[in-house]
């Protein structure tokens, strides 16, 4: 049985909310995002996504994030990217 991309993305969002410690503003943003807008979700346990370049880095560095979401911004009519769950460097 094949699942639709929408149900896949809905399941991924639920997993992200369970697995990671999202900030209140990140949770708020996710609640306003329509599943239909999502193009791609990328997540990692190790390393992170660089907010400036969008590239994955296998090392945990400041300015990197565990989750990257590409989506269509209906208001601006273009593809945008959001980063969630900042890597904390002690």
């Amino acid at each position: 049985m094949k699942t639709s991309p929408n149900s896949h993305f809905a399941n991924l969002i639920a997993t992200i909310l369970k697995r990671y410690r999202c900030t209140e503003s990140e949770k708020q943003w996710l609640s306003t995002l329509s599943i239909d807008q999502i193009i791609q979700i990328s997540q990692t346990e190790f390393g992170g996504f660089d907010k400036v370049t969008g590239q994955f880095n296998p090392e945990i560095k400041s300015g990197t994030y565990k989750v990257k979401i590409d989506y269509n911004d209906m208001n601006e009519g273009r593809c945008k990217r959001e980063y969630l769950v900042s890597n904390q460097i002690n």
Side-chain angles (χ1 to χ4, degrees), residues 51-63:
K51 193 170 188 172
V52 175
T53 66
Q55 297 296 312
F56 174 75
N57 189 320
E59 298 176 22
I60 294 177
K61 295 183 176 184
S62 61

Side-chain angles (χ1 to χ4, degrees), residues 3-89:
T3 59
S4 73
N6 288 353
S7 65
H8 175 70
F9 290 142
N11 290 337
L12 278 174
I13 296 295
T15 299
I16 287 166
L17 290 170
K18 288 179 190 175
R19 180 177 291 161
Y20 302 107
R21 289 186 176 177
C22 294
T23 65
E24 287 303 315
S25 62
E26 290 171 337
K27 290 176 187 176
Q28 176 66 28
W29 182 83
L30 282 170
S31 71
T32 63
L33 182 66
S34 169
I35 298 299
D36 294 335
Q37 291 176 270
I38 298 174
I39 299 167
Q40 177 178 324
I41 298 176
S42 303
Q43 61 180 334
T44 183
E45 289 297 317
F46 305 101
F49 300 98
D50 186 291
K51 193 170 188 172
V52 175
T53 66
Q55 297 296 312
F56 174 75
N57 189 320
E59 298 176 22
I60 294 177
K61 295 183 176 184
S62 61
T64 63
Y65 293 79
K66 295 286 184 189
V67 179
K68 176 175 74 168
I69 301 176
D70 296 327
Y71 66 99
N72 285 318
D73 185 318
M74 302 302 195
N75 295 327
E76 295 183 22
R78 65 184 182 101
C79 180
K80 292 180 86 175
R81 181 173 285 159
E82 186 71 25
Y83 294 89
L84 308 174
V85 191
S86 176
N87 278 313
Q88 302 296 324
I89 309 286

